[in-house]
Amino acid sequence: MMEGEAAYEPPTAAPTFSYDEVFPALPESAPGAQPSSNQMGQWNNKMRVGSSVVTQVFRVPYEERKLDLSERFGEGDSKGICHDIMDETNAHIEISQSKDQSLTFLVTGKQSAVLEARRKILTHFQTQASTTINIPKEYHRFILGKGGNKLKDLEKATATKISIPPTADSSDKIVITGTKEGIEKAVHEIRVTSDEQSKQAYERLDVPKVYHPFISGAHNDNLTALTSETGVRINIPPLSVQKDEITIAGEKEGVLLAKQRILSIYNEMAKKCTTVSVEVSKSQHKYVIGPRGNTIAEILQETGVSVEMPPSDIATDTITLRGPQDKLGQALSMVYLKANSVRTATVGAPAWIHKYIIGRKGANIRSMTQDLPKVHVEFTVINDKEGKIKIEGPPEEVEKAQRALEDMVKDLTSKLTFEEIVVDPKFYKHIIGKSGVNINRIKEEAGVVINISDNDGKNIIRIEGNQEGVAAAKKELEETVHKLENEKERDIIIDRRFYKTLIGSKGEKIKEVREKFNQVQITIPGPGDKRDVVKIRGVKDDVDKCYKYMQKLVKELGENNFVLEVPIYKQFHKYIIGKGGANIRKIRDETQARIDLPGEGEKSDVITITGKKESVEEARDKIQKIQNDMANIVSEDITIPPKHYNSLIGAGGKLIHAIMEECGGVTIKFPPAESNSDKVTIRGPKDDVEKAKQQLLELSTERQLSGFSAEVRAKPQHHKFLIGRNGVNIKKIRDSTGARIMFPTDKDDDKEVITIVGKKEAVEKAKAELEATIKEIDNIVESEMRVDPKYHRHFVARRGEVLHQIADQYGGVMISFPRAGVTSDKVVLKGSKDCVEGAKQRIEEIVQDLESMVTIECVIPQKLHRTVMGAKGFKVQGITQEFDVQIKFPERDNVNNGKQEGEQVNGGDSRTSDTIRITGKRENCDKAKQALLDLMPVTIEVNVPYEYHRSIIGQKGRDVREMMEKYDVHIVLSPADQRLDVIKISGTPACVAKAKEAVEERCKQLEEDRHDRQLRSFELKLEVDPDFHPKIIGKRGAVITKIRQDHDVQINFPKKGDAEEHIITITGYEKNAESAKEDILKIVNELNKMVKEQVSIDHRVHARLIGQRGRAIHKVMEQYSVDIKFPRSTDPDPSLVTIIGAEDNVADAKEYLLNQTEEYMQDVNEQMELQQYTRHPSRTDKDAAGGAGPGETGFVVKGAPWEQPQSTPNTSSIEDFPSFGGDNQGSAPTTSGPWGPRR
């Protein structure tokens, strides 16, 4: 037998030990006693060196936590905040969460770093309060300290933010922000500093912290009374500040009296106070403290015993009672009573049903607890699925609330369920619908709650409600998602100028496109969006068709909206319009282009042509031909040195523009500066070009260019008179002096300055003549003339339009006709002499024209008047302007006056309501009458099969309305009850002929479309095993979509379970349908060659064979070119796996799966064996084994406290409440005890 080994002994009865032997009492310490042994310990004490790294632990209770948005600790902002604080302070922070949801922080680092980190942690994680105290302004600098260091240290020590007003601010308020405990500490320190600096008496008393409650009294009654009696400020540190110091400040007598009273209370309580410690669960401490410490104050008031609570950040349950020995028992009973006055219970409830328990706006929980006013219910979420409900209150009420909540949780969990669907966020807007219409419909129909969330990267749609509703909603949502996954989106770029045409009036055109492709969503950018991208989204086939259709529309719009601007000299515009608009109308009709001419008041000479490119170019050529025929337009180059260009163009281009206007609006083009060319091009009518050429050459001489310039000022309204009609006045001055005179244009800021350029002598002479003329114009005269009153109306009609034209033409002369109702022929003119004379001459010319006017009648049946007038009188206005006549239509007559159809017109009897009056010069009236008669409509009939009428009308009459607007005709189709093959067209003969041609062309197109539809309607049926249908369709329809696109056919598959579920229908052109059939049969033949084999594989390894998200099994299927199907949970045999593919491939895949299964099964078996050996024995296992083994009686201890009879402790008994060794006087012998001497 080896030394040190114990010999075997038979088992004996286990010895019995007493409690005192097993757990000896700790030795009592004696003050002043020095240990006589453990010299090594003394050496260690001598060698101890202080460390610069400190560790501080503090706790943030759940009720004081500043909760972040994350429901799980360690996620959300908490982790990031701690990292930021560590980076800022160089302290190390560890954070943990207790079961009661409170947070515990362990901070390690240098002292200053730990304090700063603690302050920042409490700022972020603990709810902050704020308080304001008044401290005299002169003491603020002592609180700040040198360089603000004292304030920074105080903020670190108290973990608060202290705001002291700046020096310029007269306020004495100091704001402290932080936790309640930190604020108390900061207020105490600030007040101590303030009291120290006051000029009154100041005392510091060192009174042990444990006696402060006796000095303050219950609810601070003693302190208040003492302060009132002595008139001093007594500063006692709050409970959270671990300081013994009490400060007194005030008048000397009062301070001495207060000091005497405080020391008296302290000495008295120090003599008669004893302590007792009790263990109360930490969670019940708040009930002992009471709201704002009221319970502790109440115990102190009734018993004179102080209750000392452990700090909240220390995990100890011990409460110390200090006071007179005879009162400790009563105080102890009150502590137990308060601690047990509130009971806490917890009910487990999944987090997702919390809202149903609470009810809408808290209705359910309120109705449950309305009879239990003292019960507090708190809901806590542990994670996404787990949660709990905490109940606090009186025991009886807590039991009732607990039973009610448990019943409700049981009822809700049995009735309600939830499902979660993972959905790509890009589909959310389609699932929700516009203004939530889709999702709200599903909610209402299924009676469920649907929450859509993409938090934390989890794109989940959660459905909650009864089982049937949840299943129905889930099915519909999955179908919607599947449909959306099969959709596609395409962008088409469309010029923004086409949007209005594409949308149509009130959105009719785009609505028609959407109805045609009702499975497609078309999004056009709004007016504020500058993009030119139109998005098309929907089913793939429909999107492609819609895309092609939109491309066709855009192409047509682009072709029909080509814009070209053609400059045509203004004097030739009237020839392009032609007599009665004949020329311009002919060009429009022949080219089908829109031609827009500038208005009479516009200075632009550009004619804009819009339409198809070839039509626009044709119209341009026709217009330019008219100009070239009417005037000999030439282009000539002259040589001018480039150094003279700037002088010729003049300041702001005034000089060159003056030359161009003077020479009939010719175009003068200078070469670019970088070209160094000396060729200047002049283009226009031959005579005007020659004139401009001569002036440019004259100005280009050195003698002219080095000339002189001067300015003359004249009122803008006098410029026209200075220029004269057709520039006669200014031309006269220029010819007589040789100087060039330039008037300001609309672009010039100063409208009064007239510039004169030329030789000095010529400029001075021209300036003198202009000044003389201006002086004459400024001489205002008044003159009278006679005008027959019957012509007065012509001058003053239309708000005096004619008079305004005369005044503008003749220097702003004022013309006054007699007022209405005054019989007089006197007209008064006031202005410069020449202007008045010119105005009088113009009025006399107008009167002569009026005297030569005649009025003739043109009889057209009243029912045709609206057609003759045109839309908004457009046609009549054209005739009026072209022939300078006035045309008056009669008032509408609703009475027939006995006249019948077929009455003679324009030469026979006629009704008054049919007579149109034309006033003007005789020859002009005759021409206008003939133009009106040419506008009388005719009606023809066109043979159109009745079956085409609906297509000609178009959706909601759009097509026929467009045709009527385009050709300016009225079209009447057959009534539905008569079914006639005739269409009537009414309008002017030319318009009717064009409309007839358009209708016949439309009929021809409809006939071709009908024939094409018949060819496309060929239908071919094909028998295919339903098992092959998924393979023919392909993944997400890829295979069948390609066949449809390649052969332009429609292929329909039967629904599962239909009577003809083996029939596939192909529709399209016969040739295409046959080609599609061949492609499908090729796939079927390939599938027929495949074999299907079933192999039994233990279901426990299915998950490992499939792999994460099916990656492993997909890899196997790709490697062996087979299809592998695993059984569903509802299948009778959960181990049966099916392999489909070519025979050799199936065999290889089977062998691979069986090999993998063998390997995985070894792991499964090993894991099961390991679980058998590592399973912890339970009570059931011990019972099954027959209890303890033979001879095993266990470890027996007798006389332990838990075996003693329970009774209320006798606080007077020294045995029950022994005094500590520190209370004994004198020296006590040193005891070693089982753990050696105390240090």
Side-chain angles (χ1 to χ4, degrees):
M1 183 178 295
M2 295 179 63
E3 185 179 355
E5 291 185 357
Y8 171 77
E9 296 181 2
T12 57
T16 301
F17 301 94
S18 68
Y19 179 79
D20 294 333
E21 290 175 350
V22 178
F23 301 103
L26 295 174
E28 296 180 356
S29 61
Q34 300 297 328
S36 57
S37 61
N38 198 0
Q39 299 299 322
M40 192 64 185
Q42 293 178 2
W43 178 256
N44 289 340
N45 288 338
K46 292 177 184 178
M47 295 298 293
R48 185 171 297 147
V49 179
S51 173
S52 62
V53 177
V54 298
T55 299
Q56 190 175 114
V57 179
F58 55 93
R59 178 174 169 269
V60 177
Y62 175 73
E63 55 271 14
E64 296 181 16
R65 276 182 60 184
K66 185 192 291 183
L67 298 176
D68 62 3
L69 297 177
S70 175
E71 295 179 348
R72 296 181 301 281
F73 175 76
E75 300 182 15
D77 295 336
S78 304
K79 199 171 182 180
I81 290 170
C82 287
H83 278 297
D84 292 342
I85 296 173
M86 285 194 286
D87 293 340
E88 293 171 6
T89 62
N90 292 326
H92 179 71
I93 303 172
E94 293 183 12
I95 182 172
S96 63
Q97 178 172 294
S98 305
K99 289 184 178 179
D100 61 355
Q101 306 295 312
S102 64
L103 299 182
T104 302
F105 295 89
L106 187 143
V107 187
T108 305
K110 293 185 178 181
Q111 180 72 27
S112 59
V114 169
L115 291 175
E116 180 65 15
R118 181 175 185 269
R119 185 181 72 80
K120 289 180 177 290
I121 289 169
L122 293 178
T123 300
H124 286 94
F125 290 95
Q126 193 165 6
T127 53
Q128 304 289 294
S130 180
T131 188
T132 303
I133 58 173
N134 294 322
I135 299 296
K137 189 75 177 179
E138 58 268 22
Y139 301 152
H140 287 191
R141 60 192 181 94
F142 299 104
I143 298 168
L144 284 166
K146 187 176 181 181
N149 290 332
K150 188 174 180 180
L151 179 64
K152 291 178 182 176
D153 292 341
L154 181 58
E155 286 181 334
K156 287 182 180 179
T158 59
T160 58
K161 174 65 178 174
I162 303 173
S163 300
I164 297 178
T167 308
D169 193 344
S170 59
S171 173
D172 62 353
K173 293 182 178 180
I174 296 178
V175 180
I176 308 168
T177 305
T179 62
K180 181 182 177 183
E181 179 182 332
I183 290 174
E184 289 176 350
K185 293 179 182 178
V187 169
H188 170 72
E189 294 296 334
I190 290 173
R191 290 201 184 279
V192 168
T193 303
S194 174
D195 291 344
E196 285 178 350
Q197 301 304 323
S198 65
K199 296 179 181 179
Q200 297 176 329
Y202 182 79
E203 284 284 350
R204 292 176 181 268
L205 302 179
D206 284 330
V207 177
K209 181 76 176 176
V210 294
Y211 296 109
H212 288 187
F214 302 107
I215 296 170
S216 299
H219 306 291
N220 286 332
D221 292 342
N222 295 351
L223 184 62
T224 304
L226 186 57
T227 302
S228 301
E229 181 182 351
T230 60
V232 298
R233 293 191 304 277
I234 302 172
N235 193 357
I236 299 177
L239 294 174
S240 57
V241 179
Q242 299 300 320
K243 284 189 176 181
D244 295 338
E245 184 182 82
I246 297 176
T247 61
I248 311 169
E251 297 295 335
K252 189 172 183 180
E253 295 80 2
V255 169
L256 292 175
L257 179 58
K259 176 181 178 182
Q260 181 183 354
R261 294 283 181 84
I262 290 172
L263 291 175
S264 174
I265 294 172
Y266 162 56
N267 293 329
E268 180 185 355
M269 296 309 297
K271 290 179 182 178
K272 65 178 184 179
C273 278
T274 58
T275 60
V276 64
S277 297
V278 295
E279 298 294 325
V280 176
S281 176
K282 189 78 174 180
S283 62
Q284 293 179 294
H285 283 195
K286 58 185 176 182
Y287 309 125
V288 176
I289 297 170
R292 298 183 180 179
N294 285 340
T295 303
I296 292 178
E298 181 184 338
I299 295 172
L300 179 60
Q301 186 175 23
E302 292 187 14
T303 65
V305 174
S306 169
V307 181
E308 299 171 9
M309 307 297 297
S312 59
D313 56 354
I314 297 177
T316 179
D317 296 339
T318 303
I319 299 176
T320 303
L321 280 66
R322 186 181 305 275
Q325 188 169 357
D326 58 338
K327 297 292 186 180
L328 286 176
Q330 182 184 355
L332 186 61
S333 298
M334 292 184 70
V335 168
Y336 277 126
L337 180 63
K338 294 297 183 181
N340 295 321
S341 62
V342 177
R343 181 191 162 198
T344 302
T346 303
V347 176
W352 66 276
I353 68 168
H354 284 188
K355 57 178 171 288
Y356 300 103
I357 297 172
I358 296 169
R360 187 176 182 83
K361 295 183 179 180
N364 294 350
I365 198 68
R366 191 162 50 246
S367 64
M368 185 185 301
T369 58
Q370 62 183 357
D371 297 331
L372 308 172
K374 296 182 181 180
V375 169
H376 174 70
V377 182
E378 181 179 312
F379 290 82
T380 304
V381 176
I382 298 173
N383 53 41
D384 286 343
K385 297 180 180 179
E386 297 181 17
K388 65 180 180 179
I389 306 172
K390 186 178 179 181
I391 313 166
E392 288 184 357
E396 301 81 7
E397 293 188 4
V398 167
E399 288 181 5
K400 292 180 182 178
Q402 183 178 4
R403 285 196 299 270
L405 282 172
E406 286 175 346
D407 292 342
M408 181 179 285
V409 169
K410 184 177 180 181
D411 182 56
L412 289 173
T413 51
S414 64
K415 289 181 179 178
L416 302 180
T417 186
F418 73 91
E419 289 284 354
E420 292 181 345
I421 308 173
V422 179
V423 178
D424 194 320
K426 67 182 180 181
F427 299 142
Y428 283 176
K429 62 181 179 181
H430 306 289
I431 293 172
I432 295 169
K434 190 175 183 180
S435 301
V437 63
N438 295 346
I439 202 72
N440 288 333
R441 177 186 59 78
I442 298 173
K443 286 180 180 179
E444 292 173 3
E445 291 178 357
V448 296
V449 176
I450 301 176
N451 295 319
I452 299 177
S453 172
D454 57 356
N455 292 337
D456 301 329
K458 295 182 179 180
N459 308 317
I460 291 174
I461 297 180
R462 186 184 178 96
I463 313 166
E464 298 175 1
N466 60 70
Q467 296 180 357
E468 295 79 6
V470 168
K474 179 183 179 183
K475 181 180 178 183
E476 184 167 354
L477 285 174
E478 286 177 338
E479 290 175 354
T480 304
V481 171
H482 180 70
K483 180 180 176 183
L484 291 171
E485 287 174 345
N486 289 328
E487 289 184 349
K488 68 183 294 187
E489 183 176 275
R490 295 192 70 173
D491 294 343
I492 180 170
I493 297 176
I494 301 177
D495 196 315
R496 292 187 59 81
R497 63 193 176 99
F498 297 150
Y499 284 178
K500 188 174 181 181
T501 308
L502 187 64
I503 294 170
S505 177
K506 297 181 181 180
E508 288 183 357
K509 290 188 177 179
I510 196 64
K511 185 178 179 182
E512 179 187 348
V513 177
R514 285 172 174 154
E515 288 177 354
K516 184 173 184 179
F517 303 98
N518 54 10
Q519 298 296 321
V520 170
Q521 180 182 357
I522 303 172
T523 306
I524 299 176
D529 195 340
K530 301 301 181 184
R531 294 177 302 160
D532 57 358
V533 177
V534 175
K535 292 187 176 296
I536 309 172
R537 180 181 179 83
V539 180
K540 294 179 182 178
D541 292 343
D542 289 348
V543 166
D544 292 336
K545 291 178 182 177
C546 182
Y547 180 81
K548 291 178 181 177
Y549 181 80
M550 295 284 284
Q551 277 187 323
K552 182 181 177 183
L553 281 181
V554 172
K555 185 178 179 182
E556 291 177 358
L557 287 173
E559 292 174 351
N560 296 331
N561 287 272
F562 179 76
V563 178
L564 187 65
E565 293 183 345
V566 183
I568 299 294
Y569 295 103
K570 195 84 170 178
Q571 60 265 37
F572 299 126
H573 285 195
K574 60 184 178 181
Y575 301 113
I576 291 168
I577 295 171
K579 184 178 179 180
N583 291 349
I584 196 73
R585 190 161 53 244
K586 181 180 179 183
I587 296 172
R588 285 170 178 161
D589 293 342
E590 290 178 354
T591 63
Q592 295 299 313
R594 189 174 77 246
I595 304 172
D596 298 316
L597 286 83
E600 290 185 3
E602 297 182 22
K603 292 187 177 181
S604 173
D605 60 357
V606 173
I607 296 176
T608 304
I609 311 172
T610 308
K612 292 184 178 180
K613 186 175 181 180
E614 56 272 16
S615 302
V616 169
E617 291 174 348
E618 183 183 353
R620 178 198 60 191
D621 295 341
K622 289 180 180 293
I623 290 172
Q624 289 180 340
K625 185 174 184 301
I626 293 174
Q627 177 182 247
N628 295 335
D629 291 345
M630 298 305 300
N632 188 13
I633 303 299
V634 298
S635 180
E636 189 169 345
D637 294 337
I638 60 174
T639 303
I640 297 177
K643 64 181 180 180
H644 300 325
Y645 287 172
N646 290 337
S647 302
L648 287 173
I649 295 171
K654 284 185 178 180
L655 183 56
I656 200 66
H657 280 106
I659 295 172
M660 287 192 291
E661 289 180 7
E662 187 178 335
C663 300
V666 297
T667 302
I668 302 176
K669 186 177 181 181
F670 286 85
E674 62 273 8
S675 67
N676 295 322
S677 173
D678 58 355
K679 299 293 183 183
V680 177
T681 304
I682 310 172
R683 187 175 187 276
K686 186 174 182 180
D687 295 339
D688 292 337
V689 167
E690 193 64 32
K691 185 178 178 182
K693 174 183 175 182
Q694 184 180 355
Q695 290 193 22
L696 281 176
L697 291 174
E698 289 176 0
L699 286 172
S700 66
T701 63
E702 290 292 334
R703 184 174 58 83
Q704 289 285 89
L705 290 171
S706 59
F708 185 75
S709 66
E711 293 182 351
V712 177
R713 303 187 73 86
K715 295 179 180 178
Q717 58 265 34
H718 293 165
H719 289 187
K720 290 183 179 181
F721 180 75
L722 290 173
I723 296 169
R725 177 175 287 184
N726 297 324
V728 63
N729 295 345
I730 207 68
K731 184 178 179 183
K732 182 179 178 181
I733 296 174
R734 191 190 67 195
D735 292 343
S736 64
T737 63
R740 177 163 298 281
I741 302 170
M742 293 174 289
F743 284 82
T745 64
D746 294 337
K747 298 179 181 179
D748 294 326
D749 295 331
D750 194 342
K751 306 293 184 184
E752 294 186 356
V753 176
I754 302 171
T755 305
I756 311 170
V757 179
K759 292 181 180 180
K760 184 175 182 180
E761 299 80 8
V763 169
E764 290 177 348
K765 185 178 179 181
K767 181 179 179 182
E769 289 188 18
L770 277 175
E771 287 176 342
T773 305
I774 292 169
K775 188 174 181 181
E776 288 180 6
I777 292 174
D778 288 338
N779 293 330
I780 305 300
V781 298
E782 186 173 315
S783 179
E784 296 180 356
M785 65 180 297
R786 302 291 172 178
V787 176
D788 194 324
K790 66 182 180 180
Y791 301 130
H792 288 189
R793 181 176 178 81
H794 175 78
F795 289 95
V796 300
R798 297 185 297 279
R799 299 182 180 180
E801 180 182 350
V802 176
L803 291 181
H804 287 310
Q805 291 175 355
I806 297 172
D808 291 342
Q809 188 175 358
Y810 295 96
V813 65
M814 295 178 60
I815 306 172
S816 300
F817 276 76
R819 291 192 304 273
V822 177
T823 305
S824 174
D825 61 354
K826 184 172 70 172
V827 178
V828 180
L829 295 89
K830 188 175 181 180
S832 64
K833 184 176 180 182
D834 292 338
C835 292
V836 168
E837 291 299 324
K840 286 174 69 175
Q841 185 179 353
R842 178 60 183 151
I843 291 173
E844 289 173 352
E845 291 175 358
I846 293 173
V847 170
Q848 289 177 4
D849 289 342
L850 292 173
E851 288 175 347
S852 64
M853 285 188 178
V854 297
T855 299
I856 66 173
E857 295 181 348
C858 176
V859 179
I860 295 176
Q862 190 182 54
K863 64 181 181 179
L864 302 178
H865 286 187
R866 180 170 295 181
T867 305
V868 171
M869 292 172 69
K872 298 181 181 180
F874 172 76
K875 296 178 182 178
V876 171
Q877 289 174 8
I879 295 173
T880 302
Q881 293 175 0
E882 182 180 357
F883 300 109
D884 191 21
V885 296
Q886 293 181 1
I887 301 174
K888 185 176 181 181
F889 282 78
E891 296 293 333
R892 191 168 182 80
D893 186 9
N894 293 325
V895 182
N896 199 6
N897 294 327
K899 300 288 181 181
Q900 301 295 328
E901 294 288 339
E903 293 183 19
Q904 294 183 357
V905 296
N906 298 310
D909 295 334
S910 63
R911 296 183 302 166
T912 305
S913 59
D914 296 338
T915 303
I916 301 171
R917 289 178 173 80
I918 308 171
T919 304
K921 291 183 179 180
R922 183 73 197 187
E923 59 273 17
N924 291 349
C925 289
D926 291 339
K927 294 176 182 178
K929 179 179 178 180
Q930 185 58 44
L932 286 174
L933 293 173
D934 290 343
L935 292 176
M936 288 182 64
V938 297
T939 302
I940 65 170
E941 293 184 351
V942 181
N943 292 323
V944 177
Y946 179 76
E947 61 185 359
Y948 294 159
H949 285 201
R950 182 181 297 274
S951 300
I952 291 174
I953 294 171
Q955 188 173 13
K956 296 183 180 179
R958 182 180 62 85
D959 292 350
V960 73
R961 190 161 52 247
E962 285 183 359
M963 191 177 295
M964 289 192 290
E965 290 175 359
K966 183 176 181 180
Y967 298 106
D968 193 19
V969 296
H970 182 66
I971 300 175
V972 179
L973 291 95
S974 168
D977 55 345
Q978 297 181 15
R979 303 179 67 84
L980 301 176
D981 294 335
V982 173
I983 289 179
K984 294 181 179 180
I985 307 175
S986 301
T988 59
C991 294
V992 167
K994 292 176 183 177
K996 177 183 177 182
E997 184 179 350
V999 170
E1000 290 174 345
E1001 182 64 27
R1002 178 64 175 155
C1003 290
K1004 183 178 178 183
Q1005 181 183 353
L1006 291 172
E1007 180 64 29
E1008 292 175 354
D1009 290 346
R1010 185 177 69 173
H1011 181 65
D1012 184 66
R1013 281 197 301 273
Q1014 289 176 351
L1015 293 176
R1016 290 180 65 93
S1017 300
F1018 178 78
E1019 188 174 274
L1020 183 65
K1021 294 187 180 294
L1022 181 65
E1023 290 191 14
V1024 177
D1025 191 334
D1027 290 341
F1028 296 158
H1029 289 188
K1031 290 293 182 181
I1032 297 171
I1033 295 171
K1035 188 176 182 181
R1036 296 184 179 180
V1039 177
I1040 200 65
T1041 300
K1042 187 176 186 306
I1043 296 174
R1044 285 170 177 160
Q1045 292 175 348
D1046 291 347
H1047 303 289
D1048 190 21
V1049 295
Q1050 184 64 36
I1051 304 173
N1052 295 323
F1053 287 83
K1055 292 183 179 179
K1056 193 172 182 179
D1058 286 355
E1060 296 182 348
E1061 64 176 354
H1062 58 289
I1063 300 296
I1064 297 176
T1065 305
I1066 308 173
T1067 306
Y1069 293 116
E1070 183 175 359
K1071 182 179 178 181
N1072 293 354
E1074 293 290 348
S1075 300
K1077 175 183 175 182
E1078 291 176 4
D1079 284 358
I1080 292 174
L1081 289 176
K1082 287 178 183 178
I1083 297 173
V1084 172
N1085 292 334
E1086 290 294 330
L1087 293 173
N1088 283 326
K1089 295 177 182 178
M1090 293 185 180
V1091 297
K1092 179 167 69 173
E1093 186 171 348
Q1094 293 181 333
V1095 58
S1096 180
I1097 297 176
D1098 196 304
H1099 66 278
R1100 290 175 293 179
V1101 300
H1102 285 190
R1104 294 191 64 179
L1105 288 173
I1106 294 170
Q1108 188 176 10
R1109 296 186 179 179
R1111 290 173 184 166
I1113 200 65
H1114 279 301
K1115 188 174 180 182
V1116 174
M1117 289 193 288
E1118 290 175 4
Q1119 181 179 353
Y1120 295 101
S1121 301
V1122 295
D1123 188 15
I1124 303 174
K1125 294 182 180 179
F1126 285 85
R1128 299 181 180 179
S1129 57
T1130 56
D1131 290 349
D1133 188 351
S1135 301
L1136 206 58
V1137 178
T1138 304
I1139 309 173
I1140 303 173
E1143 186 174 359
D1144 294 340
N1145 294 345
V1146 168
D1148 293 342
K1150 176 183 176 182
E1151 183 180 356
Y1152 175 81
L1153 289 178
L1154 291 176
N1155 291 336
Q1156 290 293 104
T1157 301
E1158 187 176 350
E1159 292 181 13
Y1160 294 154
M1161 283 304 299
Q1162 290 177 3
D1163 296 340
V1164 171
N1165 294 332
E1166 289 175 2
Q1167 191 174 8
M1168 292 180 63
E1169 291 175 2
L1170 185 61
Q1171 287 177 356
Q1172 290 179 357
Y1173 289 109
T1174 58
R1175 186 173 57 186
H1176 294 287
S1178 62
R1179 183 177 297 275
T1180 306
D1181 296 334
K1182 292 180 180 179
D1183 294 342
E1192 295 182 6
T1193 58
F1195 189 80
V1196 180
V1197 178
K1198 290 190 176 181
W1202 52 81
E1203 295 182 351
Q1204 303 299 324
Q1206 299 295 324
S1207 61
T1208 303
N1210 181 8
T1211 56
S1212 302
S1213 172
I1214 296 176
E1215 184 180 352
D1216 289 346
F1217 295 95
S1219 61
F1220 286 102
D1223 293 336
N1224 298 335
Q1225 302 298 326
S1227 179
T1230 302
T1231 58
S1232 295
W1235 290 282
R1238 299 187 63 184
R1239 297 182 186 178

